[in-house]
């Protein structure tokens, strides 16, 4: 059993956060590398060359690492964290989530709109319920987290709208398979940066 009461997946890779000192699954951390110019960049795809430096997907942890010179200590070299690093990471994560949901929509694995989402939930087709952080709590409470699935409220209505080619979207749902697991991973990290509770804000029936 891992932190938070979740069952640890078999052979799930772990890394140590340079800010908290805690070892935890990679899915809850963000990889950073030092670029050729000695400036720290977030490697969200975890594909850039260089020594990986891991920080928890948490605004306070990233800000501490930048302010206390922890990146230089971990890199064993003098490196520089850009101003507003946590903001840069948050913006990049938001773009990744928006793009992934958009790709899921194009593959037929995502729908938007209260009635369509409610239909997917009722039919058991939804694995993830997405609801805008700035949407009406009353309206959001009429839907429910999919059984055995996840709920995320880390995107704004305009950001969620971008995923579906609309100005604003309050409710969205993703089916299992395809890019859904990647959405869960990146939305979980974005939740950490934005400080939203990733529990079940939707208070309708389970």
């Amino acid at each position: 059993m891992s932190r938070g009461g979740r069952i640890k997946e078999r052979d799930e890779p772990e890394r140590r956060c340079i800010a908290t000192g805690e070892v935890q699954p990679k899915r809850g951390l963000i990889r950073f590398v030092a670029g050729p110019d000695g400036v720290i960049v977030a490697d969200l795809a975890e594909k850039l060359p260089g020594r990986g430096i891991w920080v928890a997907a948490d605004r306070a942890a990233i800000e501490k690492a930048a302010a206390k010179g922890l990146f230089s200590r971990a890199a064993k070299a003098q490196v520089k964290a850009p101003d507003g690093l946590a903001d840069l990471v948050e913006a990049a994560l938001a773009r990744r989530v928006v793009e992934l949901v958009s790709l899921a929509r194009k593959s037929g694995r995502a729908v938007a709109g209260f009635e369509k989402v409610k239909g997917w939930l009722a039919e058991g087709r939804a694995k993830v319920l997405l609801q805008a952080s700035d949407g009406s709590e009353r309206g959001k409470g009429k839907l429910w987290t999919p059984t055995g699935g996840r709920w995320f409220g880390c995107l704004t209505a305009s950001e969620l709208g971008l995923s579906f080619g609309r100005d604003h979207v309050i409710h969205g749902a993703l089916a299992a398979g395809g890019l859904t697991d990647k959405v869960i991973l990146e939305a979980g990290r974005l939740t950490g940066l934005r400080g939203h509770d990733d529990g079940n804000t939707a208070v309708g029936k389970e």
Side-chain angles (χ1 to χ4, degrees), residues 12-15 24-31 46 54 185 189:
E12 185 173 7
E14 296 182 327
R15 296 291 185 273
Q24 64 184 79
K26 277 173 56 177
R27 57 182 163 77
L29 296 151
I30 294 171
R31 183 179 190 263
E46 298 177 10
W54 298 83
L185 172 66
R189 289 172 171 169

Side-chain angles (χ1 to χ4, degrees), residues 11-82:
D11 299 326
E12 185 173 7
E14 296 182 327
R15 296 291 185 273
R16 183 183 299 277
C17 170
I18 65 169
T20 66
E22 293 185 357
V23 174
Q24 64 184 79
K26 277 173 56 177
R27 57 182 163 77
L29 296 151
I30 294 171
R31 183 179 190 263
F32 292 85
V33 297
D37 55 358
V39 176
I40 289 294
V41 296
D43 176 23
L44 300 180
E46 298 177 10
K47 293 181 179 179
L48 294 176
R51 178 188 178 90
I53 302 171
W54 298 83
V55 183
D58 176 84
R59 174 171 288 274
I62 294 173
E63 290 176 343
K64 177 182 177 181
K68 301 290 186 180
L70 302 182
F71 286 110
S72 291
R73 184 185 302 174
K76 298 181 180 178
Q78 193 61 39
V79 298
K80 175 178 172 55

Side-chain angles (χ1 to χ4, degrees), residues 2 20 23 44 46 55 57 72 77 84 90 99 103 106 111 123-124 138 173 175 182 185 191 194 206:
S2 64
T20 66
V23 174
L44 300 180
E46 298 177 10
V55 183
S72 291
E90 177 188 327
E99 289 168 3
L103 290 171
K106 292 173 183 176
V111 293
E123 295 165 11
R138 181 179 179 183
K182 284 189 176 182
L185 172 66
T191 293
R194 290 188 165 176
E206 288 289 342

Side-chain angles (χ1 to χ4, degrees), residues 101-182:
V101 174
S102 178
L103 290 171
R105 171 182 64 85
K106 292 173 183 176
S107 69
R109 294 183 182 274
V111 293
F114 182 86
E115 293 301 331
K116 286 185 178 179
V117 171
K118 184 177 181 181
W120 271 32
L121 288 169
E123 295 165 11
R125 294 183 61 188
K127 182 175 181 180
V128 175
L129 172 62
L130 300 168
Q131 293 186 303
S133 58
D134 50 351
S136 161
E137 293 302 319
R138 181 179 179 183
K140 291 190 293 185
K142 295 178 181 179
L143 298 177
W144 59 95
T145 300
T147 302
R150 298 292 300 276
W151 172 89
F152 290 104
C154 54
L155 294 177
T156 64
S158 58
E159 288 171 335
L160 199 51
L162 284 174
S163 296
F164 291 95
R166 305 179 186 178
D167 289 336
H168 296 85
V169 166
I170 304 299
H171 313 281
L174 302 177
L179 295 169
T180 295
D181 286 344
K182 284 189 176 182

